[in-house]
Amino acid sequence: MITIGELSARSGMATSALRYYEREGLIRAERTGGNQRRFPRSELRRVAFIRAAQNVGLTLEEIREALATLPDGRTPTRADWERLSRVWRHRLEERIAELERLRDKLTSCIGCGCLSLQRCKLYNPGDRAARAGAGARYLLGDTPQPMAAAEREDDASIS
Amino acid sequence: MITIGELSARSGMATSALRYYEREGLIRAERTGGNQRRFPRSELRRVAFIRAAQNVGLTLEEIREALATLPDGRTPTRADWERLSRVWRHRLEERIAELERLRDKLTSCIGCGCLSLQRCKLYNPGDRAARAGAGARYLLGDTPQPMAAAEREDDASIS
DNA sequence: TCTTGACTTGAAGTTCACTTCAACTTCTAT
DNA sequence: ATAGAAGTTGAAGTGAACTTCAAGTCAAGA
């Protein structure tokens, strides 16, 4: 059993983050008589798992769900890791493909300059989920509405 | 001159977002005697520009700066668009490359399962900026500290 | 003229993943 | 026994990009 300070030093996460993870049910601790946390060493691997998953772009909510697929909240084994990391790679590849599509659109738009609300490929509201620094809003499907057909009478084209 | 409702309908942005953009100095409106906003039609193109830039992953702050390079806060012309969109494509390409590096690391890690705090490539704190749904914190260089050398005595490896 | 829909404001709320703070308690080493 | 480091809590703050709300005002058609 290790203290929160030790877990923090060994994992590189701030103690405040570890307390937050515990509140959120991502890691687990027992308590001393004086109410201090004592973590099993196995939680070290859970923290490593959480952090690797974050690097791949998962939210804590998704990570919690992934961990919940492990029986009894056990620490991930090699088999668990293999199963889950395959899913993650798939997600990463989708995201890369998405950004590549966006890049290609941008490339084809550079000489154009129209910024047409109807015709510009870059303007597509469906693409907003691709934003790099996106607020969670856009990852959760709260996309803005496209322009109604009745309103296409004028547009923002330059030429 | 169009009302905020019209600008909203034609651009697909919520009126609340347009008011926010005005407060933030991204778009401009005149006022009627009764204090209602009236937007020049050219603001339609500014909104299109803002939205395209957001799709590429720029923050509103960066977009404001880009717009500020235009004399007199004028609406972007084709030449402006060409200049700025080249920069954006470059940024997109960097981001794609970053995600590809991450994918390659994950691929090489799938069979490994170690989740070693020292050796796992996925665990590298420097990569956290690559998070897809990153909070602004990570895009601003506030990265967690790597593990101190003195603390490497044990680790989270499975095997 | 009157109703109704569109508009106004400032303040507060939202999300995520935390951090910071204050006020206090516990643990460890001497 | 005691100093001081490390731990505890709940509440509030952070940042981006907005949205929602309340309480009103304005504008356009019948």
Short mmCIF file of all heavy atoms in Angstrom, two decimals, chain B residues 50-113:
data_model
loop_
_atom_site.label_atom_id
_atom_site.label_comp_id
_atom_site.label_asym_id
_atom_site.label_seq_id
_atom_site.Cartn_x
_atom_site.Cartn_y
_atom_site.Cartn_z
N ILE B 50 -14.78 32.83 -40.17
CA ILE B 50 -14.60 32.37 -38.79
C ILE B 50 -14.89 30.88 -38.69
O ILE B 50 -14.13 30.11 -38.08
CB ILE B 50 -15.53 33.16 -37.84
CG1 ILE B 50 -15.08 34.62 -37.74
CG2 ILE B 50 -15.57 32.51 -36.46
CD1 ILE B 50 -16.11 35.55 -37.11
N ARG B 51 -15.95 30.49 -39.33
CA ARG B 51 -16.35 29.10 -39.21
C ARG B 51 -15.39 28.16 -39.92
O ARG B 51 -15.07 27.08 -39.42
CB ARG B 51 -17.74 28.95 -39.76
CG ARG B 51 -18.37 27.77 -39.17
CD ARG B 51 -19.81 27.98 -38.97
NE ARG B 51 -20.46 26.71 -39.18
CZ ARG B 51 -21.76 26.54 -39.14
NH1 ARG B 51 -22.54 27.56 -38.91
NH2 ARG B 51 -22.26 25.36 -39.31
N ALA B 52 -14.94 28.55 -41.07
CA ALA B 52 -13.96 27.73 -41.78
C ALA B 52 -12.70 27.60 -40.93
O ALA B 52 -12.13 26.51 -40.80
CB ALA B 52 -13.64 28.36 -43.14
N ALA B 53 -12.30 28.70 -40.33
CA ALA B 53 -11.09 28.69 -39.51
C ALA B 53 -11.27 27.78 -38.29
O ALA B 53 -10.36 27.06 -37.89
CB ALA B 53 -10.74 30.10 -39.06
N GLN B 54 -12.46 27.80 -37.72
CA GLN B 54 -12.72 26.92 -36.58
C GLN B 54 -12.64 25.46 -37.01
O GLN B 54 -12.12 24.63 -36.28
CB GLN B 54 -14.11 27.19 -36.02
CG GLN B 54 -14.17 28.40 -35.12
CD GLN B 54 -15.51 28.50 -34.43
OE1 GLN B 54 -16.54 28.42 -35.08
NE2 GLN B 54 -15.48 28.67 -33.13
N ASN B 55 -13.14 25.18 -38.19
CA ASN B 55 -13.07 23.80 -38.69
C ASN B 55 -11.64 23.32 -38.77
O ASN B 55 -11.35 22.15 -38.57
CB ASN B 55 -13.73 23.70 -40.06
CG ASN B 55 -15.22 23.49 -39.95
OD1 ASN B 55 -15.71 23.10 -38.89
ND2 ASN B 55 -15.93 23.75 -41.01
N VAL B 56 -10.76 24.25 -39.11
CA VAL B 56 -9.36 23.88 -39.26
C VAL B 56 -8.70 23.74 -37.88
O VAL B 56 -7.61 23.22 -37.76
CB VAL B 56 -8.64 24.92 -40.16
CG1 VAL B 56 -7.17 24.65 -40.26
CG2 VAL B 56 -9.27 24.90 -41.54
N GLY B 57 -9.38 24.18 -36.85
CA GLY B 57 -8.87 23.97 -35.50
C GLY B 57 -8.33 25.21 -34.82
O GLY B 57 -7.72 25.12 -33.76
N LEU B 58 -8.55 26.38 -35.41
CA LEU B 58 -8.07 27.59 -34.75
C LEU B 58 -9.01 28.02 -33.63
O LEU B 58 -10.22 27.80 -33.70
CB LEU B 58 -7.95 28.74 -35.76
CG LEU B 58 -6.73 28.70 -36.67
CD1 LEU B 58 -6.99 27.80 -37.86
CD2 LEU B 58 -6.38 30.10 -37.16
N THR B 59 -8.44 28.64 -32.64
CA THR B 59 -9.26 29.21 -31.57
C THR B 59 -9.79 30.57 -32.02
O THR B 59 -9.26 31.17 -32.96
CB THR B 59 -8.43 29.43 -30.29
OG1 THR B 59 -7.41 30.40 -30.58
CG2 THR B 59 -7.77 28.14 -29.83
N LEU B 60 -10.78 31.07 -31.33
CA LEU B 60 -11.32 32.38 -31.66
C LEU B 60 -10.25 33.45 -31.51
O LEU B 60 -10.21 34.42 -32.27
CB LEU B 60 -12.53 32.71 -30.78
CG LEU B 60 -13.81 31.94 -31.10
CD1 LEU B 60 -14.95 32.46 -30.26
CD2 LEU B 60 -14.15 32.01 -32.57
N GLU B 61 -9.39 33.28 -30.54
CA GLU B 61 -8.30 34.22 -30.34
C GLU B 61 -7.39 34.27 -31.57
O GLU B 61 -7.03 35.35 -32.05
CB GLU B 61 -7.49 33.79 -29.10
CG GLU B 61 -6.24 34.60 -28.82
CD GLU B 61 -6.51 36.08 -28.63
OE1 GLU B 61 -7.64 36.44 -28.24
OE2 GLU B 61 -5.59 36.88 -28.89
N GLU B 62 -7.06 33.11 -32.11
CA GLU B 62 -6.21 33.06 -33.30
C GLU B 62 -6.94 33.66 -34.50
O GLU B 62 -6.34 34.33 -35.34
CB GLU B 62 -5.80 31.62 -33.59
CG GLU B 62 -4.86 31.05 -32.56
CD GLU B 62 -4.67 29.54 -32.71
OE1 GLU B 62 -5.66 28.82 -32.89
OE2 GLU B 62 -3.53 29.10 -32.65
N ILE B 63 -8.23 33.40 -34.55
CA ILE B 63 -9.02 33.93 -35.66
C ILE B 63 -9.10 35.45 -35.57
O ILE B 63 -8.97 36.15 -36.57
CB ILE B 63 -10.43 33.30 -35.67
CG1 ILE B 63 -10.32 31.79 -35.92
CG2 ILE B 63 -11.31 33.94 -36.72
CD1 ILE B 63 -11.59 31.01 -35.65
N ARG B 64 -9.23 35.92 -34.36
CA ARG B 64 -9.25 37.36 -34.17
C ARG B 64 -7.94 37.97 -34.65
O ARG B 64 -7.93 39.00 -35.33
CB ARG B 64 -9.47 37.71 -32.70
CG ARG B 64 -9.89 39.16 -32.49
CD ARG B 64 -9.48 39.73 -31.14
NE ARG B 64 -9.38 38.73 -30.13
CZ ARG B 64 -10.35 38.40 -29.29
NH1 ARG B 64 -11.49 39.02 -29.34
NH2 ARG B 64 -10.16 37.46 -28.39
N GLU B 65 -6.84 37.31 -34.31
CA GLU B 65 -5.54 37.81 -34.75
C GLU B 65 -5.41 37.79 -36.27
O GLU B 65 -4.88 38.73 -36.86
CB GLU B 65 -4.41 36.98 -34.13
CG GLU B 65 -4.12 37.37 -32.68
CD GLU B 65 -3.34 36.29 -31.93
OE1 GLU B 65 -2.63 35.50 -32.59
OE2 GLU B 65 -3.45 36.24 -30.69
N ALA B 66 -5.89 36.72 -36.87
CA ALA B 66 -5.84 36.63 -38.33
C ALA B 66 -6.65 37.75 -38.95
O ALA B 66 -6.18 38.44 -39.87
CB ALA B 66 -6.37 35.28 -38.80
N LEU B 67 -7.83 37.99 -38.41
CA LEU B 67 -8.68 39.06 -38.95
C LEU B 67 -8.03 40.43 -38.72
O LEU B 67 -8.22 41.35 -39.52
CB LEU B 67 -10.07 39.01 -38.30
CG LEU B 67 -10.98 37.88 -38.79
CD1 LEU B 67 -12.22 37.76 -37.92
CD2 LEU B 67 -11.38 38.08 -40.24
N ALA B 68 -7.28 40.52 -37.63
CA ALA B 68 -6.65 41.81 -37.32
C ALA B 68 -5.54 42.16 -38.31
O ALA B 68 -5.12 43.32 -38.41
CB ALA B 68 -6.08 41.78 -35.90
N THR B 69 -5.05 41.17 -39.06
CA THR B 69 -4.02 41.48 -40.07
C THR B 69 -4.64 42.15 -41.29
O THR B 69 -3.92 42.61 -42.16
CB THR B 69 -3.28 40.20 -40.54
OG1 THR B 69 -4.18 39.37 -41.27
CG2 THR B 69 -2.70 39.43 -39.36
N LEU B 70 -5.96 42.16 -41.36
CA LEU B 70 -6.62 42.84 -42.48
C LEU B 70 -6.80 44.31 -42.13
O LEU B 70 -7.27 44.64 -41.06
CB LEU B 70 -8.00 42.22 -42.74
CG LEU B 70 -8.06 40.70 -42.76
CD1 LEU B 70 -9.46 40.24 -43.05
CD2 LEU B 70 -7.09 40.14 -43.78
N PRO B 71 -6.40 45.21 -43.05
CA PRO B 71 -6.51 46.64 -42.76
C PRO B 71 -7.96 47.05 -42.49
O PRO B 71 -8.88 46.51 -43.12
CB PRO B 71 -6.01 47.31 -44.05
CG PRO B 71 -5.30 46.24 -44.81
CD PRO B 71 -5.88 44.95 -44.39
N ASP B 72 -8.17 47.94 -41.53
CA ASP B 72 -9.48 48.51 -41.22
C ASP B 72 -10.53 47.48 -40.88
O ASP B 72 -11.72 47.69 -41.14
CB ASP B 72 -10.06 49.34 -42.39
CG ASP B 72 -9.02 50.23 -43.03
OD1 ASP B 72 -8.28 50.88 -42.27
OD2 ASP B 72 -8.96 50.25 -44.27
N GLY B 73 -10.11 46.35 -40.36
CA GLY B 73 -11.10 45.32 -40.04
C GLY B 73 -11.97 44.95 -41.23
O GLY B 73 -13.13 44.61 -41.07
N ARG B 74 -11.38 45.01 -42.41
CA ARG B 74 -12.21 44.73 -43.60
C ARG B 74 -12.51 43.24 -43.69
O ARG B 74 -11.83 42.42 -43.07
CB ARG B 74 -11.50 45.23 -44.85
CG ARG B 74 -10.75 44.17 -45.56
CD ARG B 74 -10.01 44.50 -46.80
NE ARG B 74 -8.98 43.46 -46.92
CZ ARG B 74 -7.73 43.68 -47.21
NH1 ARG B 74 -7.29 44.89 -47.42
NH2 ARG B 74 -6.88 42.68 -47.29
N THR B 75 -13.51 42.94 -44.43
CA THR B 75 -13.88 41.55 -44.69
C THR B 75 -12.79 40.90 -45.55
O THR B 75 -12.24 41.55 -46.41
CB THR B 75 -15.23 41.56 -45.44
OG1 THR B 75 -16.22 42.08 -44.54
CG2 THR B 75 -15.63 40.19 -45.87
N PRO B 76 -12.47 39.63 -45.26
CA PRO B 76 -11.37 38.99 -46.00
C PRO B 76 -11.62 38.95 -47.51
O PRO B 76 -12.71 38.61 -47.95
CB PRO B 76 -11.35 37.57 -45.44
CG PRO B 76 -12.07 37.62 -44.16
CD PRO B 76 -13.01 38.77 -44.21
N THR B 77 -10.59 39.27 -48.25
CA THR B 77 -10.66 39.14 -49.71
C THR B 77 -10.08 37.80 -50.12
O THR B 77 -9.56 37.05 -49.28
CB THR B 77 -9.81 40.22 -50.40
OG1 THR B 77 -8.45 39.99 -50.02
CG2 THR B 77 -10.23 41.61 -49.95
N ARG B 78 -10.12 37.54 -51.41
CA ARG B 78 -9.56 36.29 -51.90
C ARG B 78 -8.07 36.17 -51.57
O ARG B 78 -7.58 35.11 -51.20
CB ARG B 78 -9.77 36.23 -53.42
CG ARG B 78 -9.21 34.98 -54.05
CD ARG B 78 -9.19 35.13 -55.56
NE ARG B 78 -10.54 35.08 -56.09
CZ ARG B 78 -11.00 34.03 -56.78
NH1 ARG B 78 -10.23 33.00 -57.02
NH2 ARG B 78 -12.21 34.04 -57.26
N ALA B 79 -7.34 37.28 -51.68
CA ALA B 79 -5.91 37.24 -51.40
C ALA B 79 -5.65 36.96 -49.92
O ALA B 79 -4.75 36.20 -49.56
CB ALA B 79 -5.26 38.57 -51.81
N ASP B 80 -6.45 37.59 -49.07
CA ASP B 80 -6.31 37.34 -47.63
C ASP B 80 -6.54 35.86 -47.34
O ASP B 80 -5.81 35.21 -46.59
CB ASP B 80 -7.37 38.13 -46.84
CG ASP B 80 -7.20 39.63 -47.00
OD1 ASP B 80 -6.05 40.08 -47.07
OD2 ASP B 80 -8.23 40.32 -47.05
N TRP B 81 -7.59 35.37 -47.93
CA TRP B 81 -7.96 33.97 -47.73
C TRP B 81 -6.82 33.04 -48.15
O TRP B 81 -6.47 32.11 -47.43
CB TRP B 81 -9.23 33.66 -48.53
CG TRP B 81 -9.48 32.22 -48.69
CD1 TRP B 81 -9.29 31.47 -49.79
CD2 TRP B 81 -9.94 31.32 -47.67
NE1 TRP B 81 -9.60 30.16 -49.54
CE2 TRP B 81 -10.00 30.04 -48.25
CE3 TRP B 81 -10.31 31.47 -46.34
CZ2 TRP B 81 -10.41 28.92 -47.53
CZ3 TRP B 81 -10.71 30.35 -45.63
CH2 TRP B 81 -10.76 29.11 -46.22
N GLU B 82 -6.24 33.34 -49.27
CA GLU B 82 -5.18 32.48 -49.79
C GLU B 82 -3.97 32.48 -48.84
O GLU B 82 -3.44 31.43 -48.50
CB GLU B 82 -4.76 32.96 -51.18
CG GLU B 82 -3.87 31.95 -51.88
CD GLU B 82 -3.78 32.21 -53.38
OE1 GLU B 82 -4.73 32.78 -53.98
OE2 GLU B 82 -2.75 31.84 -53.96
N ARG B 83 -3.61 33.65 -48.39
CA ARG B 83 -2.47 33.77 -47.49
C ARG B 83 -2.74 33.01 -46.18
O ARG B 83 -1.93 32.20 -45.72
CB ARG B 83 -2.25 35.26 -47.18
CG ARG B 83 -1.23 35.55 -46.11
CD ARG B 83 -0.93 37.06 -46.04
NE ARG B 83 -2.10 37.89 -45.79
CZ ARG B 83 -2.57 38.19 -44.58
NH1 ARG B 83 -1.99 37.68 -43.50
NH2 ARG B 83 -3.62 38.96 -44.44
N LEU B 84 -3.88 33.24 -45.59
CA LEU B 84 -4.16 32.65 -44.29
C LEU B 84 -4.40 31.15 -44.39
O LEU B 84 -3.96 30.38 -43.53
CB LEU B 84 -5.37 33.35 -43.66
CG LEU B 84 -5.08 34.81 -43.29
CD1 LEU B 84 -6.37 35.54 -42.96
CD2 LEU B 84 -4.11 34.89 -42.12
N SER B 85 -5.05 30.73 -45.44
CA SER B 85 -5.38 29.32 -45.52
C SER B 85 -4.14 28.45 -45.77
O SER B 85 -4.10 27.28 -45.42
CB SER B 85 -6.46 29.07 -46.57
OG SER B 85 -6.06 29.58 -47.82
N ARG B 86 -3.10 29.06 -46.34
CA ARG B 86 -1.85 28.31 -46.49
C ARG B 86 -1.25 28.01 -45.12
O ARG B 86 -0.74 26.91 -44.88
CB ARG B 86 -0.84 29.13 -47.29
CG ARG B 86 -0.99 28.91 -48.77
CD ARG B 86 0.09 29.65 -49.57
NE ARG B 86 -0.42 29.94 -50.90
CZ ARG B 86 -0.59 29.01 -51.84
NH1 ARG B 86 -0.28 27.75 -51.58
NH2 ARG B 86 -1.07 29.35 -53.02
N VAL B 87 -1.29 28.99 -44.26
CA VAL B 87 -0.80 28.79 -42.89
C VAL B 87 -1.61 27.69 -42.19
O VAL B 87 -1.07 26.82 -41.53
CB VAL B 87 -0.89 30.10 -42.08
CG1 VAL B 87 -0.46 29.88 -40.64
CG2 VAL B 87 -0.05 31.18 -42.73
N TRP B 88 -2.88 27.75 -42.40
CA TRP B 88 -3.75 26.77 -41.75
C TRP B 88 -3.48 25.36 -42.24
O TRP B 88 -3.51 24.42 -41.47
CB TRP B 88 -5.22 27.11 -42.01
CG TRP B 88 -5.61 28.43 -41.48
CD1 TRP B 88 -4.84 29.25 -40.69
CD2 TRP B 88 -6.83 29.10 -41.70
NE1 TRP B 88 -5.55 30.39 -40.42
CE2 TRP B 88 -6.77 30.33 -41.02
CE3 TRP B 88 -8.00 28.78 -42.40
CZ2 TRP B 88 -7.81 31.23 -41.02
CZ3 TRP B 88 -9.03 29.68 -42.41
CH2 TRP B 88 -8.94 30.89 -41.72
N ARG B 89 -3.25 25.24 -43.53
CA ARG B 89 -2.99 23.90 -44.04
C ARG B 89 -1.73 23.34 -43.38
O ARG B 89 -1.67 22.17 -43.03
CB ARG B 89 -2.82 23.91 -45.56
CG ARG B 89 -2.62 22.48 -46.06
CD ARG B 89 -2.56 22.40 -47.55
NE ARG B 89 -1.51 23.27 -48.07
CZ ARG B 89 -1.26 23.41 -49.36
NH1 ARG B 89 -1.99 22.77 -50.25
NH2 ARG B 89 -0.31 24.20 -49.75
N HIS B 90 -0.77 24.20 -43.22
CA HIS B 90 0.46 23.77 -42.57
C HIS B 90 0.16 23.25 -41.16
O HIS B 90 0.66 22.21 -40.74
CB HIS B 90 1.44 24.94 -42.52
CG HIS B 90 2.79 24.55 -42.02
ND1 HIS B 90 3.60 23.70 -42.71
CD2 HIS B 90 3.45 24.87 -40.89
CE1 HIS B 90 4.71 23.52 -42.02
NE2 HIS B 90 4.65 24.22 -40.90
N ARG B 91 -0.63 23.98 -40.45
CA ARG B 91 -0.99 23.55 -39.09
C ARG B 91 -1.72 22.22 -39.09
O ARG B 91 -1.48 21.37 -38.24
CB ARG B 91 -1.89 24.60 -38.44
CG ARG B 91 -1.16 25.83 -38.02
CD ARG B 91 -2.11 26.77 -37.34
NE ARG B 91 -2.96 26.07 -36.40
CZ ARG B 91 -3.17 26.45 -35.15
NH1 ARG B 91 -2.60 27.53 -34.70
NH2 ARG B 91 -3.96 25.76 -34.37
N LEU B 92 -2.62 22.06 -40.02
CA LEU B 92 -3.36 20.81 -40.13
C LEU B 92 -2.40 19.66 -40.38
O LEU B 92 -2.54 18.58 -39.80
CB LEU B 92 -4.33 20.87 -41.29
CG LEU B 92 -5.80 21.05 -40.99
CD1 LEU B 92 -6.59 20.99 -42.28
CD2 LEU B 92 -6.29 19.97 -40.04
N GLU B 93 -1.42 19.91 -41.24
CA GLU B 93 -0.48 18.85 -41.58
C GLU B 93 0.37 18.46 -40.37
O GLU B 93 0.67 17.30 -40.16
CB GLU B 93 0.39 19.27 -42.77
CG GLU B 93 -0.36 18.96 -44.05
CD GLU B 93 0.23 19.63 -45.28
OE1 GLU B 93 1.19 20.41 -45.15
OE2 GLU B 93 -0.31 19.37 -46.38
N GLU B 94 0.72 19.44 -39.59
CA GLU B 94 1.48 19.14 -38.36
C GLU B 94 0.66 18.27 -37.42
O GLU B 94 1.15 17.32 -36.82
CB GLU B 94 1.85 20.44 -37.64
CG GLU B 94 3.04 21.15 -38.24
CD GLU B 94 3.26 22.52 -37.58
OE1 GLU B 94 2.36 22.98 -36.85
OE2 GLU B 94 4.31 23.10 -37.82
N ARG B 95 -0.58 18.64 -37.32
CA ARG B 95 -1.46 17.91 -36.40
C ARG B 95 -1.68 16.47 -36.87
O ARG B 95 -1.71 15.54 -36.08
CB ARG B 95 -2.78 18.64 -36.28
CG ARG B 95 -3.76 17.95 -35.43
CD ARG B 95 -4.50 18.86 -34.49
NE ARG B 95 -5.36 18.03 -33.65
CZ ARG B 95 -4.97 17.43 -32.56
NH1 ARG B 95 -3.75 17.59 -32.12
NH2 ARG B 95 -5.79 16.67 -31.88
N ILE B 96 -1.84 16.31 -38.17
CA ILE B 96 -2.00 14.97 -38.72
C ILE B 96 -0.74 14.14 -38.42
O ILE B 96 -0.83 12.99 -38.00
CB ILE B 96 -2.27 15.04 -40.24
CG1 ILE B 96 -3.68 15.58 -40.48
CG2 ILE B 96 -2.10 13.67 -40.89
CD1 ILE B 96 -3.96 15.99 -41.93
N ALA B 97 0.41 14.74 -38.63
CA ALA B 97 1.66 14.03 -38.39
C ALA B 97 1.77 13.61 -36.93
O ALA B 97 2.23 12.50 -36.61
CB ALA B 97 2.84 14.91 -38.79
N GLU B 98 1.33 14.50 -36.05
CA GLU B 98 1.36 14.21 -34.62
C GLU B 98 0.49 12.99 -34.29
O GLU B 98 0.91 12.08 -33.57
CB GLU B 98 0.77 15.44 -33.93
CG GLU B 98 1.25 15.76 -32.56
CD GLU B 98 0.59 17.07 -32.11
OE1 GLU B 98 0.95 18.16 -32.63
OE2 GLU B 98 -0.30 17.00 -31.26
N LEU B 99 -0.70 12.97 -34.84
CA LEU B 99 -1.60 11.85 -34.60
C LEU B 99 -1.06 10.56 -35.22
O LEU B 99 -1.24 9.49 -34.66
CB LEU B 99 -2.99 12.15 -35.13
CG LEU B 99 -3.79 13.19 -34.35
CD1 LEU B 99 -5.17 13.35 -34.94
CD2 LEU B 99 -3.89 12.80 -32.88
N GLU B 100 -0.38 10.69 -36.34
CA GLU B 100 0.18 9.49 -36.95
C GLU B 100 1.30 8.91 -36.09
O GLU B 100 1.43 7.70 -35.95
CB GLU B 100 0.69 9.81 -38.36
CG GLU B 100 -0.46 9.88 -39.36
CD GLU B 100 -0.04 10.39 -40.73
OE1 GLU B 100 1.07 10.98 -40.84
OE2 GLU B 100 -0.83 10.23 -41.68
N ARG B 101 2.09 9.79 -35.52
CA ARG B 101 3.14 9.30 -34.61
C ARG B 101 2.51 8.57 -33.43
O ARG B 101 2.95 7.50 -33.02
CB ARG B 101 3.98 10.47 -34.10
CG ARG B 101 5.02 10.96 -35.09
CD ARG B 101 6.03 11.91 -34.42
NE ARG B 101 5.41 13.13 -33.92
CZ ARG B 101 5.19 14.21 -34.66
NH1 ARG B 101 5.53 14.25 -35.93
NH2 ARG B 101 4.64 15.29 -34.12
N LEU B 102 1.45 9.15 -32.92
CA LEU B 102 0.76 8.54 -31.79
C LEU B 102 0.20 7.17 -32.18
O LEU B 102 0.33 6.19 -31.44
CB LEU B 102 -0.36 9.47 -31.31
CG LEU B 102 -1.13 9.04 -30.09
CD1 LEU B 102 -0.22 8.82 -28.90
CD2 LEU B 102 -2.21 10.07 -29.75
N ARG B 103 -0.40 7.10 -33.35
CA ARG B 103 -0.96 5.83 -33.82
C ARG B 103 0.14 4.77 -33.93
O ARG B 103 -0.04 3.62 -33.55
CB ARG B 103 -1.61 6.03 -35.18
CG ARG B 103 -2.17 4.75 -35.75
CD ARG B 103 -2.38 4.85 -37.24
NE ARG B 103 -1.15 5.26 -37.92
CZ ARG B 103 -1.10 5.69 -39.17
NH1 ARG B 103 -2.22 5.80 -39.87
NH2 ARG B 103 0.04 6.05 -39.72
N ASP B 104 1.30 5.19 -34.44
CA ASP B 104 2.39 4.23 -34.60
C ASP B 104 2.87 3.73 -33.24
O ASP B 104 3.18 2.56 -33.08
CB ASP B 104 3.53 4.87 -35.39
CG ASP B 104 3.10 5.16 -36.82
OD1 ASP B 104 2.08 4.60 -37.26
OD2 ASP B 104 3.77 5.96 -37.49
N LYS B 105 2.92 4.62 -32.29
CA LYS B 105 3.30 4.20 -30.95
C LYS B 105 2.30 3.21 -30.40
O LYS B 105 2.65 2.18 -29.82
CB LYS B 105 3.35 5.41 -30.01
CG LYS B 105 4.55 6.29 -30.17
CD LYS B 105 4.49 7.45 -29.20
CE LYS B 105 5.46 8.54 -29.60
NZ LYS B 105 5.25 9.76 -28.83
N LEU B 106 1.04 3.51 -30.58
CA LEU B 106 0.00 2.63 -30.07
C LEU B 106 0.10 1.27 -30.73
O LEU B 106 0.00 0.23 -30.08
CB LEU B 106 -1.37 3.26 -30.31
CG LEU B 106 -2.57 2.45 -29.81
CD1 LEU B 106 -2.46 2.15 -28.33
CD2 LEU B 106 -3.87 3.20 -30.09
N THR B 107 0.33 1.28 -32.05
CA THR B 107 0.45 0.02 -32.77
C THR B 107 1.57 -0.83 -32.19
O THR B 107 1.41 -2.03 -31.96
CB THR B 107 0.71 0.30 -34.26
OG1 THR B 107 -0.37 1.09 -34.76
CG2 THR B 107 0.80 -0.98 -35.06
N SER B 108 2.68 -0.20 -31.92
CA SER B 108 3.82 -0.96 -31.40
C SER B 108 3.59 -1.36 -29.95
O SER B 108 4.29 -2.20 -29.41
CB SER B 108 5.11 -0.15 -31.55
OG SER B 108 5.26 0.74 -30.46
N CYS B 109 2.59 -0.78 -29.31
CA CYS B 109 2.33 -1.06 -27.91
C CYS B 109 1.24 -2.11 -27.71
O CYS B 109 1.09 -2.65 -26.62
CB CYS B 109 1.90 0.21 -27.18
SG CYS B 109 3.27 1.10 -26.43
N ILE B 110 0.48 -2.37 -28.75
CA ILE B 110 -0.70 -3.21 -28.56
C ILE B 110 -0.33 -4.60 -28.04
O ILE B 110 -0.94 -5.12 -27.12
CB ILE B 110 -1.53 -3.30 -29.86
CG1 ILE B 110 -2.35 -2.02 -30.01
CG2 ILE B 110 -2.46 -4.51 -29.84
CD1 ILE B 110 -3.19 -1.95 -31.27
N GLY B 111 0.70 -5.19 -28.64
CA GLY B 111 1.06 -6.54 -28.22
C GLY B 111 1.86 -6.57 -26.92
O GLY B 111 2.05 -7.62 -26.33
N CYS B 112 2.29 -5.38 -26.50
CA CYS B 112 3.23 -5.32 -25.39
C CYS B 112 2.53 -5.39 -24.03
O CYS B 112 2.82 -6.24 -23.20
CB CYS B 112 4.05 -4.03 -25.52
SG CYS B 112 4.60 -3.30 -23.99
N GLY B 113 1.60 -4.51 -23.82
CA GLY B 113 0.82 -4.61 -22.59
C GLY B 113 1.54 -4.21 -21.33
O GLY B 113 1.03 -4.38 -20.24
#
